[in-house]
Amino acid sequence: MLKCQHLVEKADALVDGSPISRRERFALRLHLLMCQHCRRYVRQLRALLGFLPREEKPLDDARTEAILKKLDASRDHQSG
Amino acid sequence: MADIQLEDPHFIAKLRQGDPAAFGQLVKGHHNMLLATARTMLSPADAEEAVQDAWIAAHRAIAKFEGRSLLRTWLTRIVINQAKMMLRKRGREIQFDPTNDPDALAHRFHGDGHWQHPPQHWELSSPENLLTREELRRCMEKHLHFMPDSQRLVLELRDLQGLPADDVCNMLEISASNVRVLLHRARARLFEMVDHFQETGEC
């Protein structure tokens, strides 16, 4: 049977949808059915990815303007 | 939300025609994400400069964007290239050799590959744990800071920006297996950190 350590090394594909062979996926699933420590590992790995500090705020208008101004300046510089 | 709009063909057509309002929307919606990527490689001040330069480069090249990759990937690649140039200027580069750093979870297993120290049960989702979650987030940021640059960068691109693994290989010019190992090492470090936090309440 698949070892726990091997499952932990391969479990990334289960949480992020990276391609793995059907055979490998089956072996991982089978191990998870029988091993509660590894089930906990995979569940908490998923939770961990949800806790990562994400930066999704849009830029405020003033700073957006400032960046666009520098674009104009660089274009004028290039053509002139 | 922003992504649906970003990859929308009508929006991309407007960008390619040089529509200033569309480019403004692009900057507004994506600057902070691109800045987060640059910050995994550079100091905050250098990251600002690299992303500003990336916008200039993107603005010049957008008419020639052919849609062979996601626009998000295209923009991120420009930022990575600017950041690499900045690193070279500082006499630095990122080492992508994953064997430099051991697997943070390896010590938790017996020689036969079974758990010796299985993970704790984490209690982080309940609403009364908001304070704990805030502490955890700070602790995570600290660990992200001390992580090897290569691991932090791959984690950012794959788990925070959600870019496809193939795109990450291409933009960093490293193999698929290196991306996989670096991502695994980064996640293992953070898993170990949260588990320790859960057990001891300390970062």
Side-chain angles (χ1 to χ4, degrees), chain A residues 1-6 8-10 12-13 15-16 18 35 37-38 40-41 43-45 47-61 63-64 66-68 70-71 74-75 78, chain B residues 23-24 27-29 31-33 36 48 52 55-56 59-60 103 105-106 109-110 112-115 118-122 124 133 136-137 140-141 144 155 158-160 183-184 187 190-191 194-195:
Chain A
M1 192 181 110
L2 189 73
K3 304 278 170 55
C4 301
Q5 189 165 13
H6 188 68
V8 165
E9 280 160 15
K10 298 281 171 185
D12 292 287
V15 303
D16 66 21
S18 304
C35 178
H37 293 324
C38 286
R40 177 180 283 177
Y41 173 78
R43 191 173 60 239
Q44 294 185 164
L45 179 61
L48 170 74
L49 300 186
F51 279 122
L52 292 173
R54 281 182 169 70
E55 184 52 80
E56 286 168 334
K57 282 196 299 279
L59 194 63
D60 63 58
D61 289 338
R63 296 193 52 215
T64 306
I67 286 171
L68 295 176
K70 282 191 197 159
L71 285 187
S74 82
R75 198 175 34 199
Q78 205 183 19
Chain B
F23 203 84
V27 171
K28 188 171 179 54
H31 182 83
N32 281 338
M33 283 163 66
E48 288 281 354
Q52 175 73 58
W55 284 125
I56 293 171
H59 192 252
R60 274 185 200 140
D103 188 326
L105 291 168
F109 296 94
H110 287 296
D112 67 2
H114 289 285
W115 288 103
Q120 304 282 318
H121 172 66
W122 298 356
L124 300 166
R133 288 173 67 165
L136 178 68
R137 209 168 284 271
M140 210 173 244
E141 274 166 12
L144 281 167
L155 186 84
R158 291 284 289 125
D159 286 346
L160 289 159
L183 184 60
H184 177 73
R187 289 170 171 176
L190 293 178
F191 192 97
V194 178
D195 213 53

XYZ file of all heavy atoms in Angstrom, chain A residues 1-6 8-10 12-13 15-16 18 35 37-38 40-41 43-45 47-61 63-64 66-68 70-71 74-75 78, chain B residues 23-24 27-29 31-33 36 48 52 55-56 59-60 103 105-106 109-110 112-115 118-122 124 133 136-137 140-141 144 155 158-160 183-184 187 190-191 194-195:
797
model
N 0.833 -1.203 0.000
C 0.000 0.000 0.000
C 0.871 1.259 0.000
O 1.998 1.248 0.482
C -0.883 -0.006 1.255
C -1.978 1.036 1.211
S -2.985 1.014 2.725
C -2.501 2.543 3.491
N 0.303 2.340 -0.550
C 0.959 3.649 -0.589
C 1.319 4.109 0.825
O 0.516 4.004 1.741
C -0.027 4.628 -1.224
C 0.434 6.023 -1.595
C 1.332 5.951 -2.817
C -0.773 6.898 -1.884
N 2.541 4.629 1.007
C 2.945 5.133 2.324
C 2.395 6.548 2.546
O 2.224 7.312 1.606
C 4.476 5.211 2.391
C 5.188 3.910 2.094
C 5.218 3.047 3.346
C 5.701 1.651 3.055
N 7.000 1.596 2.398
N 2.206 6.899 3.826
C 1.704 8.238 4.152
C 2.625 9.334 3.600
O 2.171 10.339 3.065
C 1.565 8.399 5.658
S 0.462 7.192 6.427
N 3.916 9.109 3.751
C 4.869 10.134 3.302
C 4.757 10.355 1.790
O 4.846 11.485 1.310
C 6.300 9.711 3.658
C 7.309 10.825 3.417
C 8.645 10.568 4.101
O 8.927 9.458 4.567
N 9.466 11.595 4.177
N 4.519 9.266 1.086
C 4.353 9.350 -0.353
C 3.068 10.109 -0.683
O 3.032 10.945 -1.590
C 4.325 7.936 -0.933
C 4.341 7.893 -2.415
N 5.442 8.272 -3.156
C 3.385 7.554 -3.312
C 5.159 8.146 -4.435
N 3.922 7.717 -4.563
N 1.676 12.442 1.101
C 1.896 13.867 1.370
C 2.684 14.516 0.227
O 2.407 15.640 -0.166
C 2.591 14.041 2.743
C 3.169 15.434 2.909
C 1.597 13.743 3.863
N 3.633 13.756 -0.338
C 4.398 14.301 -1.467
C 3.548 14.475 -2.722
O 3.805 15.352 -3.537
C 5.600 13.392 -1.780
C 6.754 13.626 -0.830
C 7.735 12.455 -0.792
O 7.684 11.590 -1.686
O 8.551 12.419 0.152
N 2.531 13.622 -2.857
C 1.724 13.643 -4.093
C 0.414 14.413 -3.950
O -0.291 14.613 -4.936
C 1.392 12.205 -4.524
C 2.586 11.357 -4.858
C 3.078 11.681 -6.235
C 4.415 11.006 -6.509
N 4.996 11.370 -7.776
N -0.403 17.376 -3.445
C -0.547 18.707 -4.047
C -1.487 18.669 -5.250
O -2.303 19.553 -5.435
C 0.828 19.247 -4.462
C 1.685 19.546 -3.247
O 1.405 20.541 -2.571
O 2.593 18.760 -2.946
N -1.349 17.608 -6.052
C -2.178 17.507 -7.257
C -3.660 17.395 -6.905
O -4.518 17.857 -7.653
C -1.745 16.312 -8.093
N -5.178 18.922 -4.426
C -5.744 20.209 -4.000
C -5.660 21.287 -5.071
O -6.409 22.254 -5.016
C -5.125 20.738 -2.678
C -5.277 19.732 -1.556
C -3.677 21.125 -2.858
N -4.763 21.163 -6.047
C -4.677 22.255 -7.035
C -5.013 21.831 -8.464
O -4.869 22.616 -9.388
C -3.315 22.955 -6.973
C -2.161 22.066 -7.406
O -2.397 21.076 -8.110
O -1.017 22.374 -7.028
N -3.555 19.831 -10.510
C -2.496 19.485 -11.457
C -2.774 18.087 -12.016
O -3.344 17.254 -11.325
C -1.128 19.457 -10.772
O -0.870 20.673 -10.160
N -6.960 6.084 5.801
C -6.004 6.739 6.703
C -6.524 8.094 7.155
O -6.566 9.049 6.372
C -4.658 6.885 5.995
S -3.425 7.719 6.993
N -5.223 10.215 9.346
C -4.186 11.251 9.441
C -3.994 11.938 8.093
O -3.876 13.159 8.022
C -2.846 10.647 9.885
C -2.868 10.122 11.287
N -3.571 10.736 12.297
C -2.264 9.050 11.845
C -3.404 10.056 13.421
N -2.615 9.024 13.179
N -3.949 11.150 7.057
C -3.747 11.721 5.726
C -4.978 12.489 5.258
O -4.857 13.508 4.590
C -3.352 10.644 4.712
S -1.634 10.108 4.943
N -6.887 14.164 7.210
C -6.754 15.439 7.909
C -5.716 16.322 7.219
O -5.932 17.519 7.034
C -6.355 15.193 9.365
C -6.123 16.461 10.131
C -5.739 16.209 11.570
N -6.890 15.836 12.376
C -6.797 15.496 13.671
N -5.617 15.463 14.264
N -7.866 15.185 14.350
N -4.603 15.708 6.828
C -3.562 16.480 6.139
C -4.121 17.167 4.892
O -3.945 18.372 4.707
C -2.371 15.587 5.764
C -1.376 16.331 4.899
C -0.486 17.247 5.464
C -1.381 16.188 3.515
C 0.391 17.973 4.674
C -0.513 16.915 2.720
C 0.370 17.807 3.300
O 1.216 18.546 2.512
N -7.288 17.777 4.035
C -8.336 18.755 4.363
C -7.709 20.066 4.836
O -8.100 21.155 4.434
C -9.247 18.171 5.457
C -10.513 18.968 5.692
C -11.447 18.258 6.656
N -10.839 18.039 7.961
C -10.655 16.846 8.534
N -11.044 15.751 7.917
N -10.089 16.738 9.720
N -6.683 19.944 5.687
C -6.079 21.154 6.254
C -5.159 21.851 5.258
O -5.003 23.073 5.308
C -5.378 20.801 7.561
C -6.428 20.373 8.570
C -5.927 20.084 9.977
O -6.732 20.030 10.890
N -4.640 19.878 10.175
N -4.583 21.089 4.340
C -3.810 21.724 3.276
C -4.717 22.634 2.436
O -4.363 23.761 2.106
C -3.143 20.662 2.396
C -2.306 21.188 1.227
C -1.145 22.057 1.709
C -1.770 20.041 0.367
N -7.460 24.058 3.512
C -7.803 25.207 4.358
C -6.647 26.213 4.366
O -6.855 27.420 4.265
C -8.113 24.744 5.776
N -5.432 25.690 4.441
C -4.236 26.531 4.460
C -4.192 27.440 3.229
O -3.917 28.640 3.341
C -2.998 25.628 4.492
C -1.648 26.295 4.269
C -1.256 27.082 5.500
C -0.575 25.262 3.957
N -4.476 26.879 2.064
C -4.411 27.681 0.841
C -5.451 28.802 0.882
O -5.234 29.881 0.349
C -4.595 26.802 -0.401
C -3.549 25.689 -0.567
C -3.728 24.977 -1.897
C -2.130 26.193 -0.430
N -6.573 28.540 1.563
C -7.589 29.575 1.721
C -7.177 30.688 2.676
O -7.704 31.792 2.607
N -6.232 30.402 3.567
C -5.783 31.406 4.551
C -4.670 32.305 4.029
O -4.297 33.271 4.683
C -5.251 30.721 5.816
C -6.326 30.285 6.761
C -6.447 28.962 7.137
C -7.228 31.212 7.278
C -7.446 28.548 8.005
C -8.219 30.811 8.150
C -8.339 29.473 8.510
N -4.093 31.963 2.887
C -2.965 32.765 2.400
C -3.387 34.220 2.217
O -4.490 34.493 1.754
C -2.456 32.199 1.067
C -1.780 30.835 1.138
C -1.482 30.327 -0.271
C -0.493 30.901 1.932
N -2.519 35.150 2.577
C -2.885 36.572 2.474
C -2.942 37.046 1.021
O -1.921 37.184 0.375
C -1.764 37.289 3.246
C -0.623 36.331 3.280
C -1.168 34.948 3.102
N -4.147 37.269 0.517
C -4.335 37.661 -0.892
C -4.439 39.165 -1.060
O -5.025 39.832 -0.230
C -5.620 37.046 -1.426
C -5.468 35.602 -1.781
C -6.756 35.047 -2.361
N -6.496 33.730 -2.923
C -6.226 32.653 -2.209
N -6.192 32.731 -0.886
N -5.974 31.502 -2.780
N -3.911 39.637 -2.167
C -4.033 41.057 -2.497
C -4.969 41.195 -3.691
O -4.585 40.918 -4.813
C -2.639 41.622 -2.839
C -2.634 43.096 -3.105
C -3.295 43.900 -2.000
O -2.636 44.139 -0.969
O -4.457 44.280 -2.169
N -6.217 41.557 -3.427
C -7.170 41.628 -4.542
C -7.819 42.993 -4.685
O -8.656 43.193 -5.551
C -8.263 40.571 -4.351
C -7.755 39.174 -4.642
C -8.706 38.079 -4.179
O -9.475 38.320 -3.235
O -8.644 36.990 -4.774
N -7.426 43.931 -3.804
C -8.060 45.248 -3.860
C -7.664 45.972 -5.151
O -6.506 45.916 -5.562
C -7.598 46.100 -2.669
C -8.279 45.746 -1.368
C -8.087 46.835 -0.332
C -6.641 47.082 0.013
N -6.040 46.151 0.973
N -8.615 46.681 -5.777
C -8.208 47.521 -6.908
C -7.395 48.717 -6.408
O -7.480 49.088 -5.227
C -9.534 47.974 -7.519
C -10.571 47.765 -6.481
C -10.066 46.728 -5.525
N -6.619 49.278 -7.294
C -5.794 50.439 -6.949
C -6.700 51.665 -6.825
O -7.652 51.811 -7.590
C -4.780 50.642 -8.071
C -3.610 51.568 -7.807
C -2.742 51.032 -6.680
C -2.773 51.713 -9.079
N -6.389 52.565 -5.867
C -7.248 53.746 -5.751
C -7.036 54.685 -6.952
O -6.043 54.591 -7.668
C -7.018 54.463 -4.409
C -5.608 54.997 -4.276
O -5.201 55.804 -5.131
O -4.904 54.594 -3.331
N -8.014 55.585 -7.153
C -8.017 56.410 -8.366
C -6.780 57.290 -8.488
O -6.225 57.444 -9.570
C -9.279 57.288 -8.392
C -10.525 56.441 -8.653
O -10.366 55.335 -9.207
O -11.625 56.885 -8.308
N -3.719 56.874 -7.369
C -2.493 56.160 -7.770
C -2.597 55.617 -9.196
O -1.612 55.550 -9.925
C -2.167 55.059 -6.756
C -1.852 55.671 -5.373
C -1.232 54.684 -4.417
N -0.086 54.024 -4.995
C 0.232 52.750 -4.759
N -0.526 52.017 -3.969
N 1.289 52.222 -5.304
N -3.835 55.250 -9.588
C -4.027 54.830 -10.989
C -3.670 55.992 -11.919
O -2.932 55.825 -12.895
C -5.490 54.396 -11.229
O -5.840 53.397 -10.265
C -5.673 53.820 -12.619
N -1.712 58.478 -11.320
C -0.268 58.738 -11.282
C 0.477 57.791 -12.237
O 1.391 58.220 -12.955
C 0.254 58.587 -9.858
N 0.063 56.540 -12.268
C 0.729 55.574 -13.159
C 0.454 55.914 -14.620
O 1.358 55.916 -15.459
C 0.279 54.142 -12.818
C 0.947 53.708 -11.514
C 0.641 53.165 -13.941
C 0.433 52.429 -10.946
N -0.803 56.265 -14.919
C -1.153 56.600 -16.306
C -0.395 57.854 -16.771
O 0.017 57.944 -17.926
C -2.663 56.789 -16.440
C -3.487 55.512 -16.179
C -4.980 55.806 -16.236
C -3.134 54.395 -17.163
N 2.575 58.767 -15.822
C 3.959 58.382 -16.139
C 4.022 57.680 -17.498
O 5.021 57.798 -18.216
C 4.530 57.485 -15.044
C 4.959 58.278 -13.820
C 5.759 57.424 -12.869
C 5.815 58.082 -11.492
N 6.116 57.146 -10.420
N 2.956 56.942 -17.834
C 2.903 56.308 -19.163
C 2.933 57.370 -20.246
O 3.679 57.273 -21.219
C 1.604 55.513 -19.326
C 1.459 54.189 -18.614
C 0.157 53.530 -19.067
C 2.631 53.281 -18.915
N 6.321 58.908 -20.573
C 7.324 58.067 -21.234
C 7.065 58.021 -22.743
O 7.984 57.955 -23.541
C 7.328 56.656 -20.639
O 6.318 55.875 -21.213
N 5.777 58.100 -23.146
C 5.452 58.078 -24.568
C 5.895 59.385 -25.229
O 6.477 59.370 -26.305
C 3.952 57.873 -24.755
C 3.603 57.403 -26.146
C 2.142 57.085 -26.263
N 1.377 57.987 -25.434
C 0.137 57.730 -25.041
N -0.432 56.594 -25.359
N -0.534 58.594 -24.308
N 9.489 59.333 -25.709
C 9.908 58.452 -26.803
C 9.731 59.130 -28.165
O 10.613 59.086 -29.015
C 9.034 57.198 -26.754
C 9.709 56.003 -27.378
C 8.770 54.810 -27.359
O 7.553 54.942 -27.220
N 9.336 53.638 -27.472
N -7.201 50.794 -20.748
C -5.892 50.600 -20.107
C -5.938 51.060 -18.648
O -5.351 50.436 -17.770
C -4.773 51.309 -20.879
C -3.419 50.714 -20.608
C -2.983 49.599 -21.306
C -2.595 51.227 -19.600
C -1.748 49.012 -21.041
C -1.358 50.642 -19.320
C -0.937 49.541 -20.050
N -6.669 52.149 -18.404
C -6.858 52.625 -17.035
C -7.518 51.570 -16.158
O -7.093 51.335 -15.023
N -4.982 48.854 -15.326
C -4.054 49.263 -14.264
C -4.758 49.212 -12.909
O -4.239 48.635 -11.947
C -3.499 50.684 -14.529
C -2.715 51.199 -13.323
C -2.614 50.681 -15.778
N -5.942 49.782 -12.859
C -6.679 49.853 -11.599
C -6.944 48.454 -11.025
O -6.729 48.207 -9.850
C -8.004 50.584 -11.834
C -8.785 50.896 -10.575
C -9.963 51.796 -10.895
C -10.785 52.098 -9.653
N -10.003 52.656 -8.542
N -7.381 47.565 -11.894
C -7.788 46.241 -11.436
C -6.630 45.311 -11.119
O -6.787 44.369 -10.341
N -2.979 46.262 -10.791
C -1.706 46.758 -10.267
C -1.320 46.078 -8.957
O -0.192 45.612 -8.797
C -1.770 48.271 -10.077
C -0.483 48.859 -9.588
N 0.551 49.162 -10.434
C -0.055 49.175 -8.336
C 1.569 49.634 -9.730
N 1.231 49.654 -8.454
N -2.264 46.004 -8.028
C -1.911 45.464 -6.706
C -1.500 43.995 -6.754
O -0.611 43.568 -6.015
C -3.072 45.663 -5.724
C -3.110 47.100 -5.203
O -2.097 47.804 -5.238
N -4.265 47.537 -4.738
N -2.144 43.229 -7.641
C -1.760 41.824 -7.779
C -0.357 41.690 -8.375
O 0.447 40.865 -7.937
C -2.763 41.083 -8.648
C -4.052 40.752 -7.896
S -5.416 40.342 -8.998
C -4.812 38.818 -9.708
N 2.155 42.560 -5.779
C 2.373 41.458 -4.832
C 3.373 40.456 -5.411
O 4.250 39.945 -4.712
C 1.044 40.766 -4.509
N 7.782 48.568 -6.586
C 6.988 49.663 -7.170
C 7.570 50.091 -8.507
O 6.854 50.268 -9.491
C 6.979 50.887 -6.234
C 6.156 50.741 -4.971
C 4.663 50.936 -5.202
O 4.257 51.298 -6.329
O 3.905 50.696 -4.238
N 5.907 49.731 -12.253
C 5.735 50.943 -13.079
C 6.388 50.745 -14.458
O 5.779 51.023 -15.490
C 6.348 52.156 -12.368
C 6.328 53.451 -13.181
C 4.935 54.058 -13.300
O 4.291 54.358 -12.288
N 4.445 54.223 -14.520
N 4.345 48.434 -16.601
C 3.190 49.068 -17.258
C 3.625 49.798 -18.521
O 2.932 49.779 -19.537
C 2.470 50.035 -16.314
C 1.611 49.375 -15.281
C 1.674 49.553 -13.930
C 0.539 48.444 -15.508
N 0.719 48.778 -13.302
C 0.012 48.096 -14.244
C -0.016 47.860 -16.646
C -1.041 47.198 -14.086
C -1.069 46.968 -16.504
C -1.572 46.645 -15.243
N 4.771 50.455 -18.449
C 5.270 51.160 -19.642
C 5.535 50.153 -20.764
O 5.112 50.347 -21.905
C 6.529 51.989 -19.298
C 6.140 53.134 -18.353
C 7.191 52.539 -20.559
C 7.313 53.896 -17.752
N 2.219 48.762 -22.073
C 1.510 49.758 -22.869
C 2.076 49.829 -24.282
O 1.348 49.944 -25.266
C 1.613 51.112 -22.155
C 0.703 52.150 -22.712
N 1.167 53.215 -23.453
C -0.651 52.286 -22.655
C 0.133 53.957 -23.824
N -0.975 53.421 -23.348
N 3.393 49.705 -24.393
C 4.039 49.733 -25.712
C 3.722 48.491 -26.523
O 3.652 48.534 -27.738
C 5.563 49.809 -25.542
C 6.024 51.230 -25.378
C 7.539 51.309 -25.345
N 7.906 52.562 -24.721
C 8.913 52.705 -23.868
N 9.673 51.662 -23.543
N 9.159 53.878 -23.357
N 12.614 19.292 2.990
C 11.161 19.244 3.139
C 10.806 19.425 4.613
O 11.227 18.638 5.465
C 10.656 17.893 2.616
C 9.137 17.844 2.551
O 8.469 18.449 3.409
O 8.630 17.182 1.640
N 8.280 18.840 6.287
C 7.452 17.816 6.929
C 8.166 16.474 7.050
O 7.641 15.545 7.678
C 6.142 17.628 6.146
C 5.164 18.806 6.201
C 4.056 18.624 5.171
C 4.560 18.962 7.595
N 9.375 16.369 6.478
C 10.049 15.064 6.402
C 10.260 14.441 7.787
O 10.146 13.228 7.954
C 11.375 15.210 5.668
N 7.781 11.736 9.780
C 7.502 10.358 9.375
C 8.521 9.391 9.957
O 9.693 9.724 10.130
C 7.501 10.254 7.848
C 6.402 11.056 7.209
C 6.638 12.353 6.771
C 5.127 10.529 7.085
C 5.624 13.106 6.203
C 4.099 11.271 6.518
C 4.350 12.570 6.078
N 8.055 8.163 10.261
C 8.969 7.064 10.577
C 9.744 6.683 9.323
O 9.327 6.999 8.210
C 8.171 5.830 11.038
C 7.588 5.955 12.413
N 8.355 6.064 13.549
C 6.297 5.969 12.820
C 7.564 6.142 14.606
N 6.316 6.093 14.200
N 9.709 4.013 7.883
C 8.888 3.195 6.984
C 7.847 4.016 6.226
O 6.997 3.466 5.527
C 8.202 2.057 7.761
C 7.160 2.582 8.757
O 6.939 3.815 8.818
O 6.563 1.766 9.482
N 7.871 5.358 6.412
C 6.969 6.215 5.634
C 5.606 6.436 6.280
O 4.756 7.096 5.701
N 5.379 5.920 7.498
C 4.126 6.210 8.197
C 4.307 7.404 9.128
O 5.406 7.722 9.535
C 3.657 4.986 8.992
C 3.156 3.886 8.108
N 1.941 3.931 7.475
C 3.751 2.736 7.714
C 1.786 2.850 6.741
N 2.874 2.112 6.859
N 3.174 8.040 9.470
C 3.232 9.218 10.336
C 3.827 8.870 11.693
O 3.401 7.917 12.332
C 1.823 9.775 10.592
C 1.185 10.467 9.428
C 0.217 9.960 8.616
C 1.440 11.801 8.983
N -0.135 10.893 7.673
C 0.585 12.028 7.877
C 2.293 12.823 9.393
C 0.564 13.237 7.176
C 2.281 14.025 8.703
C 1.428 14.225 7.605
N 1.566 12.863 13.453
C 0.503 13.281 12.520
C 0.056 14.708 12.793
O 0.315 15.242 13.881
C -0.622 12.274 12.788
C -0.314 11.628 14.077
C 1.145 11.783 14.344
N -0.598 15.343 11.808
C -1.019 16.740 12.008
C -2.014 16.872 13.155
O -2.797 15.963 13.413
C -1.695 17.109 10.680
C -1.544 15.968 9.759
C -0.965 14.824 10.489
N -1.960 18.039 13.834
C -2.970 18.415 14.819
C -4.298 18.650 14.124
O -4.319 18.922 12.917
C -2.589 19.766 15.470
C -1.240 19.818 16.100
C -1.258 19.126 17.437
O -2.193 19.294 18.207
N -0.229 18.352 17.706
N -5.366 18.627 14.904
C -6.643 19.080 14.352
C -6.690 20.601 14.463
O -6.542 21.154 15.544
C -7.806 18.449 15.134
C -9.134 19.017 14.757
N -9.675 18.839 13.499
C -10.006 19.788 15.439
C -10.836 19.480 13.439
N -11.050 20.063 14.601
N -6.862 21.284 13.338
C -6.868 22.751 13.361
C -8.275 23.267 13.622
O -9.223 22.855 12.969
C -6.394 23.327 12.022
C -4.993 22.964 11.663
C -4.090 22.268 12.407
C -4.332 23.253 10.424
N -2.920 22.121 11.720
C -3.035 22.715 10.500
C -4.717 23.931 9.263
C -2.121 22.827 9.450
C -3.819 24.046 8.214
C -2.525 23.494 8.316
N -9.731 26.558 13.155
C -9.514 27.919 12.672
C -10.728 28.508 11.994
O -10.794 29.701 11.737
C -8.353 27.913 11.669
C -7.035 27.409 12.250
C -6.057 27.105 11.129
C -6.442 28.413 13.216
N -7.167 34.047 14.072
C -6.919 34.072 12.633
C -6.071 35.271 12.239
O -5.242 35.175 11.336
C -8.242 34.086 11.874
C -8.923 32.735 11.957
C -10.285 32.762 11.362
N -10.237 32.977 9.922
C -11.276 32.750 9.135
N -12.406 32.345 9.643
N -11.188 32.946 7.846
N -2.642 34.424 13.192
C -2.142 33.412 12.259
C -1.693 34.065 10.955
O -0.648 33.733 10.400
C -3.247 32.398 11.984
C -2.898 31.301 10.985
C -1.846 30.360 11.557
C -4.132 30.507 10.585
N -2.482 35.016 10.490
C -2.144 35.699 9.246
C -0.811 36.442 9.373
O 0.026 36.402 8.478
C -3.266 36.669 8.876
C -3.401 36.910 7.394
C -4.682 37.635 7.091
N -5.833 36.738 7.180
C -6.301 36.009 6.152
N -5.720 36.083 4.986
N -7.337 35.223 6.295
N 1.919 33.963 9.338
C 2.121 33.455 7.984
C 2.943 34.435 7.159
O 3.844 34.050 6.412
C 0.738 33.270 7.364
C 0.676 32.182 6.350
S -1.040 31.956 5.858
C -1.298 30.312 6.440
N 2.643 35.720 7.310
C 3.395 36.729 6.563
C 4.870 36.719 6.951
O 5.753 36.866 6.119
C 2.767 38.119 6.753
C 1.656 38.323 5.736
C 0.732 39.489 6.018
O 1.058 40.318 6.908
O -0.322 39.564 5.351
N 6.397 33.711 5.327
C 6.545 33.952 3.882
C 7.789 34.792 3.617
O 8.522 34.562 2.663
C 5.311 34.678 3.335
C 4.085 33.804 3.090
C 2.846 34.673 2.856
C 4.308 32.882 1.904
N 4.891 29.900 -5.002
C 3.643 29.902 -4.219
C 2.741 31.065 -4.643
O 1.529 30.921 -4.816
C 3.966 30.010 -2.724
C 2.775 29.892 -1.772
C 2.436 28.427 -1.496
C 3.043 30.595 -0.449
N 1.354 30.331 -8.279
C 0.419 29.203 -8.380
C -0.766 29.356 -7.423
O -1.898 29.237 -7.844
C 1.156 27.887 -8.080
C 2.161 27.488 -9.138
C 1.485 26.921 -10.390
N 0.907 25.619 -10.148
C -0.373 25.305 -10.385
N -1.195 26.193 -10.860
N -0.815 24.093 -10.140
N -0.505 29.601 -6.146
C -1.593 29.548 -5.159
C -2.276 30.884 -4.918
O -3.419 30.915 -4.492
C -1.073 28.999 -3.828
C -0.828 27.498 -3.907
O -1.308 26.872 -4.867
O -0.155 26.954 -3.021
N -1.588 31.976 -5.151
C -2.232 33.269 -4.934
C -2.746 33.865 -6.240
O -3.873 34.316 -6.308
C -1.285 34.229 -4.204
C -1.088 33.806 -2.747
C 0.166 34.372 -2.142
C -2.289 34.206 -1.918
N 6.825 24.321 -5.056
C 5.489 24.587 -4.516
C 5.217 23.688 -3.305
O 4.704 24.142 -2.281
C 4.431 24.355 -5.608
C 2.985 24.675 -5.228
C 2.828 26.141 -4.842
C 2.041 24.343 -6.395
N 5.603 22.429 -3.429
C 5.397 21.501 -2.316
C 6.189 21.933 -1.075
O 5.666 21.931 0.043
C 5.788 20.078 -2.717
C 5.654 19.107 -1.581
N 4.430 18.686 -1.122
C 6.581 18.525 -0.782
C 4.612 17.874 -0.091
N 5.899 17.757 0.136
N 4.468 24.953 0.547
C 3.255 24.570 1.278
C 3.602 23.787 2.542
O 2.961 23.974 3.585
C 2.371 23.706 0.380
C 1.712 24.481 -0.759
C 1.069 23.511 -1.714
N 0.245 24.158 -2.721
C -0.347 23.486 -3.710
N -0.194 22.179 -3.814
N -1.086 24.125 -4.591
N 4.575 26.095 5.349
C 3.440 26.792 5.945
C 2.559 25.826 6.736
O 2.023 26.186 7.784
C 2.621 27.508 4.859
C 3.350 28.678 4.188
C 2.483 29.288 3.093
C 3.746 29.757 5.195
N 2.425 24.600 6.242
C 1.640 23.599 6.974
C 2.270 23.359 8.348
O 1.590 23.352 9.385
C 1.575 22.286 6.183
C 0.556 21.326 6.723
C -0.710 21.248 6.162
C 0.851 20.508 7.812
C -1.670 20.371 6.669
C -0.098 19.634 8.324
C -1.361 19.564 7.758
N 1.544 26.383 10.616
C 0.179 26.451 11.157
C -0.018 25.353 12.201
O -0.641 25.572 13.242
C -0.899 26.323 10.040
C -2.308 26.358 10.638
C -0.754 27.439 9.024
N 0.534 24.192 11.942
C 0.391 23.084 12.883
C 1.052 23.417 14.220
O 0.509 23.159 15.284
C 1.018 21.816 12.278
C 0.273 20.572 12.720
O -0.965 20.531 12.547
O 0.922 19.657 13.257
